[in-house]
């Protein structure tokens, strides 16, 4: 993520907008979720967003915009196996 933002700034001179719209879900029972699966979930859904914003803010001109998308899956579609996502 850091490299992607830095490369975009290098190629375009600056960025006016950052749109964070990525996420994954690990379906399965919470007690069966491995540490690696949980770490992957956190890294994609939370850490990547944080890192992208950090890099963007360093070089963003005044008036730039950050848009973060989230999901309502955990609220709107409750079902067994999405406890971690919810």
């Amino acid at each position: 993520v850091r490299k992607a933002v830095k490369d975009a700034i290098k190629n375009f001179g600056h960025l006016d907008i950052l749109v964070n719209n990525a996420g994954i879900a690990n379906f399965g029972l919470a007690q069966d979720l491995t540490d690696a699966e949980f770490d992957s979930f956190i890294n994609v859904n939370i850490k990547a967003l944080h890192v992208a914003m950090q890099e963007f803010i360093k070089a963003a001109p005044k008036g730039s915009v950050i848009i973060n998308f989230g999901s309502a899956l955990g609220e709107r579609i409750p079902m067994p196996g999405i406890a971690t996502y919810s």
Side-chain angles (χ1 to χ4, degrees):
V1 171
R2 281 188 180 92
K3 184 176 179 344
V5 175
K6 286 178 181 178
D7 286 351
I9 292 168
K10 180 180 174 184
N11 289 326
F12 299 108
H14 71 279
L15 298 177
D16 297 313
I17 187 167
L18 171 68
V19 178
N20 283 311
N21 186 29
I24 60 171
N26 296 323
F27 294 96
L29 300 177
Q31 65 266 27
D32 297 331
L33 191 66
T34 67
D35 287 345
E37 290 170 326
F38 183 76
D39 289 345
S40 175
F41 174 81
I42 294 298
N43 287 339
V44 172
N45 292 6
I46 299 171
K47 188 173 182 180
L49 179 136
H50 170 73
V51 169
M53 289 190 299
Q54 277 186 322
E55 294 302 323
F56 177 79
I57 290 167
K58 290 177 187 176
K62 187 173 182 165
S64 297
V65 176
I66 297 174
I67 300 172
N68 294 319
F69 284 90
S71 172
L73 176 66
E75 176 186 348
R76 294 185 182 167
I77 310 172
M79 65 181 136
I82 63 165
T84 304
Y85 191 82
S86 298

